[in-house]
């Protein structure tokens, strides 16, 4: 799946989300370097958003990055379920342990 296809999928699945949150989540997705499966890229973007939130400390922008991280991880699980429903449990466990490599 290409970067443009990731973005299109994410845009389709975030319609109706608050505009600032949607823009921040898509910005984090746009910063993902390595090509991979959609769930992997979303999870990587979610991890980056979480790191940004931690780095921001008590600055107000930390809240938006934290919400973006939550949205991106949720989208990673949705993409995983769409691609391989039978591996969702294993994918979620791997994500939690930081060893995520989706089917």
């Amino acid at each position: 799946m290409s970067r443009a296809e990731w973005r299109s999928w994410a845009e389709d699945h975030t319609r109706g989300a608050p505009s600032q949150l949607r823009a921040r989540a898509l910005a984090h997705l746009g910063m993902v370097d390595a090509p991979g499966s959609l769930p992997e890229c979303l999870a990587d973007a979610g991890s980056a958003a979480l790191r940004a939130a931690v780095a921001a400390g008590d600055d107000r922008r930390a809240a938006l990055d934290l919400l973006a991280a939550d949205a991106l991880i949720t989208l990673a699980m949705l993409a995983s379920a769409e691609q391989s429903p039978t591996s969702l449990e294993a994918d979620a466990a791997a994500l939690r342990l930081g060893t995520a490599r989706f089917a």
Side-chain angles (χ1 to χ4, degrees):
M1 192 175 232
S2 71
R3 185 178 297 273
E5 289 170 317
W6 301 341
R7 184 168 180 94
S8 177
W9 186 95
E11 286 174 348
D12 288 347
H13 287 80
T14 57
R15 294 203 194 287
S19 61
Q20 286 183 317
L21 173 57
R22 185 175 190 232
R24 192 69 183 135
L26 292 172
H28 280 291
L29 182 58
M31 291 185 266
V32 172
D33 287 331
S37 71
L38 177 61
E40 287 172 330
C41 294
L42 289 162
D44 289 349
S47 294
L50 184 56
R51 286 191 301 276
V54 170
D58 61 359
D59 188 288
R60 289 183 60 104
R61 69 186 166 88
L64 187 56
D65 283 323
L66 186 58
L67 290 169
D70 178 56
L72 289 160
I73 296 300
T74 299
L75 289 170
M77 293 292 88
L78 175 61
S80 175
E82 287 180 353
Q83 290 181 0
S84 180
T86 58
S87 67
L88 181 60
E89 184 177 356
D91 289 345
L95 182 62
R96 184 177 55 81
L97 296 171
T99 59
R101 288 298 145 228
F102 294 84

